[in-house]
Amino acid sequence: MTVRRWAVAGLLLGTALLYLWGLGASGWANAYYSAAAQAGAASWKAWVFGATDAANGITVDKTPAALWLPGLSVRLFGLGSWSVLVPQALMGVGSVALLYATVRRTSGHTAGLLAGAVLALTPVAALMFRFNNPDALLVLLLVAAAYCVVRALEKASPRWLALAGIAVGFGFLAKMLQAFLVLPAFALVYLVAAPTGMGKRVLHLLGAAVAVVFSAGWYLALVELWPAMDRPYIGGSQRNSLLELALGYNGLGRITGDEVGSVGGGMGRGWGQTGWSRLLGGEMAGGIAWLLPAAVLATAAGLWFTRRAPRTDPARAALLLWGGWLLVTAVVFSYMSGIIHPYYTVALAPAVAALTGIGGVALWRRREDPAAAGTLAAGVALTALTSYLVLAGQPDWLPWLAPALLFAGLAAAALVLVAGRLPTAARRSVAVLTLAAVLAGTGAYAVATAATPHTGAIPSAGPATGRAPGGGGQGRAGGGLLGAAETDPSLAALLAADAENYVWAVATVGSNNAAGYQLAIDAPVLAVGGFNGTDPSPTLAQFQQYVQSGLIHFFAGDGMSMRGETGSDEAQRIADWVAATFPANTVGGVTVYDLSYTGGAQP
C-alpha cells in the first residue's frame, strides 16, 4: 500500500473511530426517529411511509428516506441504540470518503485529504453523524451529487450530471427542499465550465432537472395516489398531503416563517435574530464557525488567482461549485425567518471543508508569491481569532485552549509569510504548525461533542459543561415537545398489559411523548396531533370511534397540550374529552385513563 493509500485509510479509520466510539451512550438519541425506525422494522407499510407507529396512525413530519436504513438495521439486528445510530455513523465515514474523492479529482491528493479531515473534525458533523436526524443522509447524498458534477465537468457527461440530479432528488426524500439549495451552484458551474458548446450545456442541465424531478417526484406521486384511508396520516400537514408538507411547513414556510402548526416561532418570532452574524454566534458558532471565515477568504482569493484561467479550468470550477454551495446555503440559513436549529449547519460543513482544503493547499503551493503568502497568513490568523472567540463562549471548558490557539495561530501566520524563503525542513515544520493551529480548535470541540451524549429533538455541538439552555446535550428529565421521558417501570408494565389485544396500546398527545412510551413497551402508540400536537389527526370523532371499537387501551394524559398559535386543536379536544369521560389513575407520575372502562366510554 502506497503512502497515499495509507493516509486515506488513516483518515477513514480515524473518522470511523470518532463517529462510532461510545455511540450507544446517546441511547435513543432522537426518540421520535428511533420510534419510527422501530415501527418500520415491524411493518413494511410503516417503513415505506415513515409512520411513527407500526399501526400506521401518523407519519414523521419529513419524507422518510432517512428512516429506511435505520428501519432495515433494526429489522436485521433488533431494536437498540447501536442498530439505530450506526447507519448514520457509516454515512459520516462515507461522506468523508466521497469528499476526499471529489476534491482530489480537481485539486490533488493533499487538498482532498485536508478537506476530508476538516469535514470529519467539524463539530456539527461529529454531532449529526452520531445522531439519527435526517441530516446525515442529506449530507451524504449532496456530497455524492457534488462528486457526480465534478465527473460530469471532466468530459461534459450528461450521464454523470443526471446521476447528480438523482442524488439531489433522493436528498429531497431525506429533508425535502433543503436538498435543493445546492442546485444553483451545480447548475452555474456546469453552465460556465463544462467543455462543450452552450447549447449542449443547457440540454444537459435540462436532462439533470428531469432526473431531479423523477427521483424526488416518484415518492410524492406514490403517497398522493395511495388511498388515504389505507396509509398513515401525513404528519406536519393540515390536509393529509405530502405536497403541502413539502411546500409549506417544510418548504417556503421555513423561509417566510409562516408555518401552519408550528410552535414557538412563526413569522420571525422565536427563532433568533436573522442576519449574516447568525452563523457566527450562539450555538451555531460552536458547530460550524471555526473555519467558515477562512473558507470565504479562500474562495475569494482562489477566484482572483484563477481569473485569467481558461473557461473550463477545473480549479476555478471547483471553487465555483463549493463556493456557490456555501453562499446560497449560508444566505438562506442566515435570513430565513422560520424554524431553524443549530444542527442545520451541517449542510455547510462539506463546502467549508472543501474550500479549506482547496484554498489552503493552493495558497501554500504559491507561498513564494507575497500575495498568496499574505492571503494564507490572513486565513490562518482569522481562524485563530475565530477559534478564540468561539472558545471564549465556553470559559469553563479547557480555559487554557483559547489563548494557546490564538498564540499558536498568530505565530503560524507570521511564519507563513516567510515560509517561501525557508529551507525545506523548516518549511515542513511551518506546515505542521499551521495545520495544528488551524485544526486544533475544531478538532478538540469535535472530540468533546462526540464524547457528550445527545438526546432530544434539538442537539447542539460542544462539551456538556457550559452548554446553553435547551442545547440538547444530556437527556431530558421529562417528556414533551422536544424530548421523550424515560418511562417508569410500573407505568411501562401497565401500558404493555394486553397490548396484543389492541391496535394501539396507548395514545398520548405529541410524537415525542408517544415515542417514549412506544420504545419502552415495544407496542404501537398513537401520537395524537403529530409532532407538535397541532395536526388534525385523529379528529375527535375518529378518536371516539377508535375507542368505541376497542382499538386503544390507555390514554396517557400528561402529554403536552396543543401549543401552536396555528394549526388544529383536535388534540386538545381529545384530551379534554378523555379527561371528562374516563376515570384517572396516576401511575409512575403520569395520569393514565383506561379507555376500556365501560362506565362511560361511549361517545
Side-chain angles (χ1 to χ4, degrees):
M1 185 179 287
T2 65
V3 173
R4 288 189 173 186
R5 289 182 177 178
W6 276 113
V8 175
L11 170 65
L12 298 183
L13 287 173
T15 302
L17 181 64
L18 178 63
Y19 292 169
L20 288 167
W21 187 267
L23 191 60
S26 291
W28 298 122
N30 191 333
Y32 177 51
Y33 293 118
S34 293
Q38 177 194 34
S43 163
W44 283 115
K45 183 183 288 187
W47 182 82
V48 169
F49 291 106
T52 60
D53 65 273
N56 290 284
I58 193 168
T59 72
V60 299
D61 59 359
K62 302 285 188 300
T63 36
L67 296 171
W68 290 342
L69 282 179
L72 292 175
S73 178
V74 173
R75 185 176 285 267
L76 289 172
F77 302 110
L79 179 65
S81 180
W82 277 79
S83 62
V84 170
L85 296 179
V86 164
Q88 280 70 231
L90 296 180
M91 290 177 205
V93 177
S95 298
V96 170
L98 275 172
L99 185 65
Y100 162 79
T102 306
V103 173
R104 182 187 64 83
R105 296 193 75 88
T106 61
S107 306
H109 165 78
T110 304
L113 204 64
L114 179 56
V118 171
L119 176 58
L121 294 175
T122 300
V124 71
L127 172 70
M128 296 315 296
F129 289 129
R130 294 172 56 89
F131 207 72
N132 58 329
N133 280 15
D135 303 75
L137 180 61
L138 175 69
V139 169
L140 175 64
L141 289 169
L142 294 187
V143 175
Y147 175 82
C148 293
V149 170
V150 167
R151 294 296 301 267
L153 286 169
E154 293 172 354
K155 297 181 179 179
S157 169
R159 180 173 66 91
W160 277 108
L161 196 63
L163 288 173
I166 291 172
V168 174
F170 273 90
F172 172 89
L173 299 185
K175 212 172 179 191
M176 297 193 156
L177 290 186
Q178 186 181 332
F180 291 172
L181 294 180
V182 300
L183 289 178
F186 290 178
L188 173 65
V189 71
Y190 195 83
L191 198 62
V192 168
T196 190
M198 176 60 76
K200 286 189 176 181
R201 279 178 266 163
V202 173
L203 286 176
H204 293 174
L205 284 172
L206 290 175
V210 171
V212 172
V213 171
F214 273 93
S215 57
W218 71 269
Y219 187 79
L220 289 173
L222 173 70
V223 175
E224 294 299 324
L225 294 174
W226 199 289
M229 295 297 294
D230 193 39
R231 60 161 171 78
Y233 185 93
I234 303 302
S237 75
Q238 296 295 307
R239 295 187 297 274
N240 198 12
S241 168
L242 187 61
L243 190 61
E244 176 205 333
L245 178 66
L247 298 179
Y249 180 77
N250 281 333
L252 297 179
R254 298 291 171 119
I255 305 296
T256 64
D258 185 14
E259 299 159 299
V260 177
S262 176
V263 295
M267 301 304 291
R269 302 185 303 273
W271 304 115
Q273 185 66 40
T274 59
W276 65 267
S277 61
R278 173 185 266 181
L279 299 176
L280 299 175
E283 291 182 84
M284 288 191 180
I288 197 64
W290 308 86
L291 288 159
L292 179 57
V296 173
L297 178 62
T299 305
L303 291 174
W304 173 259
F305 284 119
T306 59
R307 65 190 184 281
R308 295 190 177 90
R311 177 180 66 82
T312 59
D313 179 60
R316 184 172 57 198
L319 290 167
L320 289 173
L321 187 155
W322 298 110
W325 175 331
L326 179 64
L327 175 64
V328 173
T329 306
V331 168
V332 170
F333 285 178
S334 295
Y335 289 95
M336 59 189 284
S337 298
I339 297 172
I340 185 168
H341 301 305
Y343 67 82
Y344 286 12
T345 57
V346 71
L348 295 166
V352 170
L355 292 166
T356 301
I358 293 169
V361 170
L363 291 171
W364 176 257
R365 288 171 177 166
R366 300 177 60 136
R367 58 189 174 271
E368 294 184 2
D369 179 348
T375 304
L376 181 58
V380 174
L382 190 59
T383 300
L385 180 59
T386 304
S387 299
Y388 177 84
L389 293 174
V390 173
L391 290 171
Q394 294 279 4
D396 298 327
W397 181 72
L398 302 182
W400 55 269
L401 185 59
L405 285 177
L406 183 61
F407 175 79
L410 294 178
L415 290 171
V416 164
L417 290 172
V418 298
R421 299 189 295 274
L422 296 176
T424 301
R427 285 201 305 270
R428 289 175 179 170
S429 298
V430 172
V432 171
L433 174 63
T434 301
L435 282 175
V438 166
L439 296 180
T442 184
Y445 216 73
V447 171
T449 298
T452 301
H454 293 85
T455 58
I458 311 178
S460 60
T465 57
R467 183 178 302 281
Q474 305 294 344
R476 293 170 52 88
L481 175 64
L482 300 178
E486 292 187 10
T487 303
D488 184 88
S490 61
L491 176 60
L494 173 68
L495 299 181
D498 298 325
E500 66 278 4
N501 296 323
Y502 296 85
V503 173
W504 292 283
V506 60
T508 190
V509 177
S511 292
N512 268 301
N513 291 306
Y517 298 135
Q518 182 171 295
L519 292 165
I521 67 176
D522 196 19
V525 176
L526 179 61
V528 176
F531 187 88
N532 293 322
T534 57
D535 297 342
S537 178
T539 64
L540 175 59
Q542 288 172 329
F543 189 86
Q544 289 172 334
Q545 186 59 51
Y546 293 161
V547 174
Q548 185 177 9
S549 302
L551 304 184
I552 309 173
H553 194 178
F554 295 104
F555 185 89
D558 283 357
M560 63 184 186
S561 300
M562 194 285 292
R563 300 182 181 183
E565 297 176 359
T566 59
S568 171
D569 64 352
E570 290 291 331
Q572 188 64 61
R573 296 177 64 200
I574 289 169
D576 292 343
W577 174 76
V578 169
T581 307
F582 299 92
N585 183 27
T586 301
V587 182
V590 174
T591 303
V592 178
Y593 302 87
D594 186 347
L595 303 185
S596 66
Y597 174 71
T598 58
Q602 299 300 318

